[in-house]
């Protein structure tokens, strides 16, 4: 599998400011999936492994979409609460 972030290359000082999980987040692409299988049945094959906090999760392409959508919504909700002055109350 090919790594996306190469977490080992992160600056440790910057990573410490960004949070304890920051430099543990990576994704390993499953390079063993054939192009034909991916094109014909994209919802079924495991496309790689998400690594975070020392744990690894095998995921499909659709699960990646769901994670991205969930995290974008989380960021929007946090930013809205901050703008409305609802944080730390």
């Amino acid at each position: 599998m090919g790594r996306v972030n190469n977490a080992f290359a992160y600056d440790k000082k910057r990573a410490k400011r960004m949070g304890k999980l920051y430099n543990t987040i990576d994704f390993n692409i499953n390079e063993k999936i054939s192009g034909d299988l991916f094109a014909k049945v994209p919802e079924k094959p495991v496309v790689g492994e998400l690594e975070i906090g020392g744990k690894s999760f095998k995921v499909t392409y659709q699960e990646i979409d769901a994670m991205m959508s969930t995290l974008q919504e989380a960021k929007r909700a946090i930013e809205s609460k901050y703008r409305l002055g609802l944080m730390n109350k």
Side-chain angles (χ1 to χ4, degrees):
M1 290 190 184
R3 291 192 174 274
V4 173
N5 285 338
N6 295 318
F8 64 86
Y10 284 122
D11 175 21
K12 293 188 189 307
K13 287 182 184 177
R14 182 170 189 245
K16 189 174 182 179
R17 286 190 320 236
M18 303 301 272
K20 67 180 182 176
L21 296 176
Y22 183 80
N23 68 340
T24 69
I25 300 169
D26 206 347
F27 189 83
N28 291 318
I29 299 170
N30 181 359
E31 295 172 347
K32 295 181 181 180
I33 296 175
S34 72
D36 291 336
L37 178 62
F38 186 78
K40 292 176 184 172
V41 194
E43 72 276 356
K44 292 186 180 177
V46 170
V47 295
E49 291 184 32
L50 174 67
E51 295 179 357
I52 185 167
K55 296 184 181 180
S56 191
F57 304 91
K58 292 181 180 182
V59 296
T60 65
Y61 195 76
Q62 284 70 22
E63 289 170 322
I64 293 172
D65 283 340
M67 286 185 270
M68 288 175 51
S69 176
T70 299
L71 294 172
Q72 278 301 117
E73 287 302 317
K75 284 179 68 176
R76 274 193 276 259
I78 292 165
E79 290 166 359
S80 291
K81 288 185 86 147
Y82 174 75
R83 282 193 305 272
L84 293 170
L86 300 174
M87 300 292 275
N88 292 324
K89 287 193 172 189

